[in-house]
Amino acid sequence: MKSQDIRKTFLNFFNEKKHSIVPSAPMVLKNDPTLMFVNSGMAPFKEFFLGNAEPKNNRISDSQKCLRVSGKHNDLEEVGYDTYHHTLFEMLGNWSFGDYFKKEAIAWAWELLTEVYGIDKDILYVTVFEGSEDVDQLPMDKEAYDFWKAFIPEDRILMGNKKDNFWEMGDQGVCGRCSEIHVDIRSKEEKSKVDGKLLVNMDHPQVVEIWNLVFMQYNRKANGSLEHLPEKHIDTGMGFERLCMVLQGVQSNYDTDVFTPIIREIETITNKDYGKDEKTDIAIRVISDHVRAVAFSIADGQLPSNTGAGYVIRRILRRAVRYGFTFLDKKEPFIYRLVDVLNKKMGKAFPELKEQRQLIENVIKEEEASFLRTLDQGLVLLDGIISSSSSKEISGKKVFELKDTYGFPEDLTDLILREKGYSYNHEEFQQKLKEQQERGKQASQLKSDDWTIIIEDEEQEFIGYDRTDANVKLTQYRKVTSKKDGEMYQLVFNLTPFYAEGGGQVGDKGYLEDASGDVIYIVDTKKENNIIIHFAKSLPKDIRATLKASVDTKQRHRTECNHTATHLLHQALREVLGTHVEQKGSAVHSKYLRFDFSHFAKLTVEELRDVENFVNSRIEGKLALEEQRNIPMETAVKEGAMALFGEKYGDTVRTVRFGQSIELCGGTHVRNTGDIWHFKIVSEGAVAAGIRRIEAITNDAVKDFYFENNRAYFEMKDLLNNAKEPVKALQNLQDENSDLKKQIENLLKEKAKGIKGDLKNEISEVNGVQFLAKKIDLDASGIKDLCFELGSQFNNLFLLFGAENNGKAILSCYISKELVASKELNAGTIVRELGKHIQGGGGGQPFFATAGGKNPNGLDDALNAVKSYLE
């Protein structure tokens, strides 16, 4: 079955089960502070699970694009080295918001897999939650177990621990037991040697989890406790690529038709064969995976950059370029050529690939070219450093020099060194980095080529006050190079709707489109020597052609809302605080505004409220924009326009008036203050002596602000059992919690005292050493206190205590300092060795050290083995 049919079959199946089929949400998250990218199928539906929104249908199904390269879920380093991890992957899912629960989810999963897809029942295993004796005190999921018994023999229903079978969104939030479905696609011979159930959740490449059914019914509160959700929900996620592997009868995700067209194209471009050499295969897998992640990210609006989500995408692409360069001998851009194959394969299911194809190709190509230049030079230098090194540790200074002087990334240097069996001095590198940051080196310096003149144009016209698109002609351009952005092109047109950065307002972004539909992304707009410069990664194919220039109107509108709000804010501050207030700087972005002003004291709560109310009353008044262009400076000042100290004005100026607010301003603004919707101050603080700063938001940002605060407020009230006075109730809880902590501390101290007396009687002599190895019921802090209290009463004491806390094992070793010196014993070395028994490790000082592990069953072995150190 082809992958397109597999996806279609899944969606059709749940459509017949009365699920609404929805398109994949954008993978790049713009308004979620907890995630850069969608990393699971449920992420776009969090608001439904949290009860902050109501879905149109309580049953939903889709195939969601996911990216796992940062944070809790990070599969980047595994990608390429195994056959089933990916950066970008599709998650097939079905959701129930307060509708059906375990019975239906289990029955439908089994029906789809075995009856519709025809997967052999004998190669499937399922896991259910085994129960937890920790703080949650949750019993085994007998309900799910009983439902599964109707479909699968009990010897293939396996118990799973909290790590594998209790799904949580994070430290707080919705969560619940889950039931995983695993598939064993090994050969008959392999199955006869090892029972498949012994390999479940053991990272075996042919015994893999294929589907996870999550039974959402709890909310993890801030204190770690669980409460029942008002409704029970279903959240399932099935790995599309793994499902294709099973249904297409292959042993690797990369052998499915999801990847084979890309792999064949890589083979054709590089003249390398897949399946003959391990290093070549790894490189091809890395590239075929990474091009998908980068392409979809760009299609969803995230371009590679040096910060945040943009840096993640750039890092993925550069990893792919590096593998192509090193193992496939590709010294020129080629990854962008894979976008066409990807579009043909997935464009129907994800039309954004088709719509953004030209942009994706242009961005990837330019990124490749830039990084290949860096790689070519950097790898030669790094090879020279390695060959001339007399040890396996490379100087951190040299690694810093590669980064600072040649732009060669530190993480890439680290990867290459590790592959060759080398390391580098991290402390020395960090010191050099700190010195560079303190000196403020020339990272922002720009190398510019001369202007290339195409058309002699005496005066460039800005039409952006009235229009956001226009047909333009390129009049001149030049190439510029910086360490920060690499190679860029600066473009100048005969006329432009793009606003250039100035007056605190950011420059416009947008795109150029030629007659054939080819697109060039404009990443910024600035003014230099009175000409408007547009920054782009590449030149138009025909530099003399007429191009359509289009401003990103959504970003422009938000920026206009914020810019108009700064005028109203300035007026409000002078009205509320006094006419001594003067603007000392501003920054107007699409998401927020920043306003610096002269004032002698921190604003009080009442003053901030008065300022907000003043601005919002002007917004509610729906004041129309009154604009005058090209009027004499003197006339503008006589009419009351405020001129900012330090600003350079020409003979003629532009004035912007909203009611009684009138300022000299060249920025773009809303047509009516009502377009702003609302104004909200989010912070106020000092910048310097006598200078304050306000940061504020408008329009959509305020809606999100109030939505989140409203949600948080009702969540808090819910946690406080809908107290009439939640602030007072919260204070009472804090006081109560503080008292309980003190009580617990006192109880533990009393418990330790009681234990100490008993343990003193159990200490025995082994070869002249006072020795005791024992399991005790205390936490790590209590054990440490106990060790040192006993140690103060003996000069030649050797202690090893074991304990189990929250399902994990702890070992604590204490050795009197006299023994450390006389018998050359070392507690750190001892716990590292004994830690192997509990599948963990640790360390510490020679006289006291601890180890932690995930196998409490090994504590007895560790306690029995320690005696050998004294024999």
Side-chain angles (χ1 to χ4, degrees):
M1 185 181 288
K2 293 183 178 180
S3 58
Q4 294 97 323
D5 297 326
I6 293 172
R7 186 190 298 110
K8 184 177 180 180
T9 298
F10 179 90
L11 298 177
N12 286 344
F13 176 84
F14 282 103
N15 186 42
E16 292 173 359
K17 305 293 184 185
K18 300 180 180 180
H19 288 64
S20 291
I21 308 303
V22 298
S24 172
M27 190 172 62
V28 182
L29 292 170
K30 302 296 185 184
N31 298 311
D32 189 335
T34 66
L35 290 173
M36 279 187 184
F37 304 98
V38 170
N39 62 3
S40 66
M42 68 81 63
F45 306 120
K46 284 201 299 183
E47 59 187 11
F48 300 148
F49 288 114
L50 295 170
N52 296 332
E54 290 291 331
K56 293 181 180 179
N57 188 340
N58 286 332
R59 298 182 181 189
I60 288 177
S61 182
D62 74 353
S63 181
Q64 173 64 46
K65 298 170 295 185
C66 301
L67 192 68
R68 289 187 178 176
V69 288
S70 60
K72 177 182 176 182
H73 299 291
N74 189 344
D75 296 336
L76 182 60
E77 297 308 320
E78 285 82 15
V79 174
Y81 287 85
D82 64 28
T83 59
Y84 57 95
H85 277 104
H86 303 289
T87 51
L88 176 130
F89 61 95
E90 283 185 64
M91 187 167 280
L92 302 171
N94 58 288
W95 288 270
S96 165
F97 307 109
D99 191 353
Y100 62 83
F101 201 47
K102 296 180 186 179
K103 182 178 181 180
E104 293 85 352
I106 289 171
W108 290 341
W110 191 257
E111 178 186 353
L112 177 61
L113 291 178
T114 62
E115 298 179 24
V116 178
Y117 285 133
I119 298 176
D120 185 353
K121 299 176 182 179
D122 293 336
I123 67 171
L124 296 174
Y125 295 88
V126 299
T127 62
V128 297
F129 182 57
E130 67 184 3
S132 173
E133 295 181 359
D134 62 7
V135 66
D136 296 334
Q137 294 292 307
L138 290 172
M140 172 261 204
D141 194 351
K142 189 174 186 303
E143 184 181 18
Y145 187 91
D146 289 340
F147 285 138
W148 276 120
K149 286 196 302 183
F151 303 106
I152 188 170
E154 290 186 62
D155 65 344
R156 284 193 279 123
I157 306 175
L158 311 178
M159 294 296 106
N161 59 25
K162 186 175 179 179
K163 174 180 174 293
D164 293 322
N165 283 86
F166 191 85
W167 192 94
E168 300 195 61
M169 188 168 63
D171 294 334
Q172 292 176 245
V174 293
C175 53
R177 302 175 182 91
C178 63
S179 188
E180 299 173 337
I181 304 173
H182 296 255
V183 61
D184 182 356
I185 58 173
R186 295 175 301 152
S187 65
K188 290 183 179 179
E189 292 75 17
E190 290 173 313
K191 290 176 183 177
S192 66
K193 295 177 182 177
V194 181
D195 193 334
K197 63 185 175 185
L198 299 177
L199 302 176
V200 168
N201 278 326
M202 298 301 291
D203 291 327
H204 192 285
Q206 276 81 47
V207 184
V208 296
E209 175 194 339
I210 193 173
W211 205 348
N212 191 11
L213 314 180
V214 181
F215 313 127
M216 296 281 198
Q217 65 183 113
Y218 303 108
N219 178 50
R220 176 74 71 185
K221 300 201 292 186
N223 62 7
S225 65
L226 296 177
E227 66 178 0
H228 283 272
L229 294 171
E231 301 281 353
K232 294 179 179 179
H233 310 293
I234 287 295
D235 159 30
T236 84
M238 175 156 58
F240 173 68
E241 293 81 6
R242 294 184 183 185
L243 177 62
C244 290
M245 174 179 69
V246 175
L247 295 180
Q248 293 178 8
V250 294
Q251 296 291 300
S252 163
N253 290 0
Y254 294 94
D255 292 334
T256 67
D257 72 340
V258 176
F259 289 97
T260 51
I262 302 175
I263 290 174
R264 284 196 296 268
E265 187 68 11
I266 295 173
E267 288 179 308
T268 300
I269 294 172
T270 63
N271 199 29
K272 299 285 186 180
D273 293 327
Y274 182 68
K276 293 186 177 180
D277 175 76
E278 183 180 4
K279 290 184 177 179
T280 299
D281 291 353
I282 290 172
I284 290 176
R285 288 196 291 265
V286 165
I287 295 164
S288 63
D289 172 274
H290 288 9
V291 69
R292 293 177 1 126
V294 175
F296 273 106
S297 297
I298 295 172
D300 280 347
Q302 181 59 65
L303 294 173
S305 70
N306 288 331
T307 58
Y311 175 72
V312 173
I313 303 307
R314 175 166 284 168
R315 183 184 177 200
I316 294 172
L317 180 54
R318 288 186 168 187
R319 186 173 188 255
V321 174
R322 178 271 206 252
Y323 274 88
F325 183 96
T326 305
F327 301 109
L328 305 182
D329 301 321
K330 292 304 295 180
K331 313 303 181 187
E332 69 281 339
F334 77 99
I335 295 173
Y336 76 96
R337 293 166 62 183
L338 304 175
V339 174
D340 182 49
V341 178
L342 181 62
N343 176 55
K344 290 176 181 177
K345 186 66 184 175
M346 303 186 72
K348 186 175 181 180
F350 301 98
E352 60 270 28
L353 280 178
K354 183 178 181 180
E355 295 168 2
Q356 301 294 326
R357 175 188 162 187
Q358 191 61 55
L359 173 64
I360 295 168
E361 289 183 353
N362 287 346
V363 170
I364 292 178
K365 184 178 181 180
E366 290 298 324
E367 284 284 323
E368 283 188 272
S370 175
F371 189 52
L372 281 167
R373 288 187 289 272
T374 298
L375 270 179
D376 199 11
Q377 183 181 24
L379 286 173
V380 171
L381 293 169
L382 184 56
D383 284 342
I385 292 171
I386 293 172
S387 62
S388 62
S389 176
S390 59
S391 72
K392 288 289 184 177
E393 183 180 76
I394 302 299
S395 162
K397 180 180 178 181
K398 291 187 179 294
V399 175
F400 176 79
E401 184 181 345
L402 278 175
K403 174 183 171 64
D404 182 49
T405 307
Y406 303 102
F408 201 75
E410 174 203 359
D411 58 351
L412 186 57
T413 301
D414 185 39
L415 173 65
I416 295 170
L417 289 175
R418 283 190 285 109
E419 286 182 350
K420 295 178 179 291
Y422 285 76
S423 63
Y424 71 94
N425 189 317
H426 289 260
E427 291 183 3
E428 189 175 83
F429 174 87
Q430 290 298 326
Q431 180 60 36
K432 297 299 294 183
L433 182 63
K434 183 178 179 181
E435 291 173 4
Q436 186 245 27
Q437 291 170 341
E438 290 172 350
R439 289 194 306 268
K441 273 193 168 183
Q442 69 280 8
S444 60
Q445 285 186 351
L446 200 68
K447 178 184 177 182
S448 302
D449 289 353
D450 292 329
W451 285 106
T452 299
I453 307 298
I454 302 173
I455 301 173
E456 292 292 344
D457 188 42
E458 293 183 0
E459 184 177 357
Q460 182 189 38
E461 183 181 1
F462 172 63
I463 60 171
Y465 295 135
D466 305 308
R467 300 181 57 183
T468 55
D469 63 2
N471 292 324
V472 303
K473 285 274 193 178
L474 185 64
T475 61
Q476 57 183 329
Y477 71 90
R478 68 180 177 185
K479 185 168 68 174
V480 296
T481 306
S482 69
K483 290 182 179 179
K484 179 181 178 182
D485 298 317
E487 286 190 355
M488 299 279 287
Y489 287 90
Q490 295 182 346
L491 313 176
V492 179
F493 304 107
N494 61 327
L495 55 86
T496 180
F498 284 75
Y499 177 81
E501 179 179 324
Q505 180 177 331
V506 296
D508 279 334
K509 297 182 180 181
Y511 63 91
L512 302 171
E513 186 175 6
D514 64 19
S516 65
D518 289 338
V519 171
I520 294 175
Y521 191 76
I522 302 297
V523 298
D524 202 357
T525 311
K526 296 180 182 293
K527 183 174 280 191
E528 181 178 320
N529 298 326
N530 209 36
I531 62 172
I532 297 173
I533 299 171
H534 309 76
F535 289 74
K537 285 286 187 179
S538 60
L539 287 171
K541 289 182 179 179
D542 183 354
I543 59 176
R544 298 184 181 275
T546 298
L547 305 166
K548 182 181 179 182
S550 297
V551 173
D552 183 336
T553 54
K554 289 184 178 180
Q555 177 168 294
R556 164 76 81 85
H557 175 67
R558 296 186 184 112
T559 305
E560 288 175 340
C561 288
N562 287 333
H563 200 156
T564 302
T566 63
H567 288 214
L568 301 178
L569 173 60
H570 192 185
Q571 182 189 8
L573 289 168
R574 290 173 63 85
E575 181 73 21
V576 173
L577 302 179
T579 55
H580 66 279
V581 169
E582 291 183 352
Q583 180 177 337
K584 294 299 181 183
S586 69
V588 181
H589 296 262
S590 60
K591 294 183 179 180
Y592 70 96
L593 65 93
R594 187 179 73 223
F595 192 81
D596 296 344
F597 59 97
S598 56
H599 187 55
F600 49 82
K602 177 180 176 63
L603 271 69
T604 65
V605 174
E606 291 77 14
E607 288 171 335
L608 288 171
R609 184 180 63 243
D610 290 342
V611 170
E612 276 190 356
N613 289 340
F614 185 99
V615 175
N616 283 316
S617 69
R618 271 64 185 168
I619 293 172
E620 292 166 6
K622 297 184 178 180
L623 305 177
L625 167 65
E626 297 179 42
E627 174 193 22
Q628 295 186 83
R629 303 179 191 173
N630 300 317
I631 68 169
M633 174 70 174
E634 291 181 3
T635 302
V637 172
K638 285 180 180 179
E639 291 181 357
M642 294 188 64
L644 303 182
F645 181 79
E647 282 288 326
K648 181 180 179 181
Y649 296 101
D651 293 332
T652 60
V653 294
R654 174 175 178 255
T655 64
V656 173
R657 179 195 290 270
F658 291 96
Q660 297 302 310
S661 168
I662 177 170
E663 295 194 19
L664 302 176
C665 184
T668 61
H669 294 271
V670 296
R671 297 296 176 183
N672 188 292
T673 58
D675 296 337
I676 300 174
W677 189 77
H678 202 72
F679 170 84
K680 176 64 184 173
I681 295 174
V682 294
S683 70
E684 188 274 337
V687 177
I691 306 295
R692 309 294 297 177
R693 171 173 292 174
I694 281 179
E695 291 192 357
I697 53 178
T698 66
N699 205 274
D700 290 344
V702 179
K703 295 177 185 178
D704 293 339
F705 177 85
Y706 283 131
F707 180 85
E708 287 301 316
N709 275 273
N710 195 49
R711 177 189 61 78
Y713 173 74
F714 282 104
E715 279 190 358
M716 183 181 73
K717 282 199 70 176
D718 190 41
L719 293 173
L720 298 171
N721 296 318
N722 292 309
K724 291 182 179 180
E725 298 182 65
V727 175
K728 184 177 181 181
L730 186 60
Q731 183 62 56
N732 290 339
L733 274 178
Q734 289 179 325
D735 293 341
E736 182 181 345
N737 185 52
S738 178
D739 291 340
L740 288 172
K741 281 184 176 180
K742 291 178 181 178
Q743 291 179 35
I744 291 172
E745 288 176 4
N746 291 332
L747 287 172
L748 288 174
K749 288 179 180 179
E750 290 300 318
K751 183 177 181 179
K753 288 179 181 179
I755 292 175
K756 184 177 71 173
D758 296 334
L759 293 179
K760 284 178 65 175
N761 297 328
E762 296 184 41
I763 295 174
S764 60
E765 186 174 309
V766 177
N767 291 331
V769 174
Q770 299 298 309
F771 171 79
L772 177 63
K774 186 178 179 64
K775 285 173 66 174
I776 58 176
D777 184 21
L778 284 176
D779 62 9
S781 176
I783 294 174
K784 182 178 180 180
D785 291 342
L786 181 62
C787 285
F788 281 93
E789 285 188 22
L790 288 171
S792 66
Q793 300 179 27
F794 297 88
N795 292 326
N796 60 341
L797 184 64
F798 187 118
L799 299 173
L800 181 70
F801 291 136
E804 180 180 346
N805 287 321
N806 296 323
K808 294 184 178 180
I810 299 173
L811 287 172
S812 297
C813 183
Y814 174 90
I815 304 175
S816 296
K817 292 184 178 181
E818 293 83 357
L819 287 178
V820 170
S822 63
K823 292 187 174 290
E824 296 184 351
L825 294 171
N826 187 305
T829 302
I830 291 171
V831 296
R832 273 194 294 272
E833 287 298 315
L834 296 177
K836 296 176 182 178
H837 293 284
I838 57 173
Q839 296 179 22
Q845 298 172 296
F847 59 88
F848 182 76
T850 61
K854 60 182 180 180
N855 180 28
N857 294 329
L859 285 171
D860 290 336
D861 293 336
L863 294 169
N864 292 330
V866 69
K867 206 169 185 178
S868 63
Y869 288 93
L870 299 178
E871 294 174 348

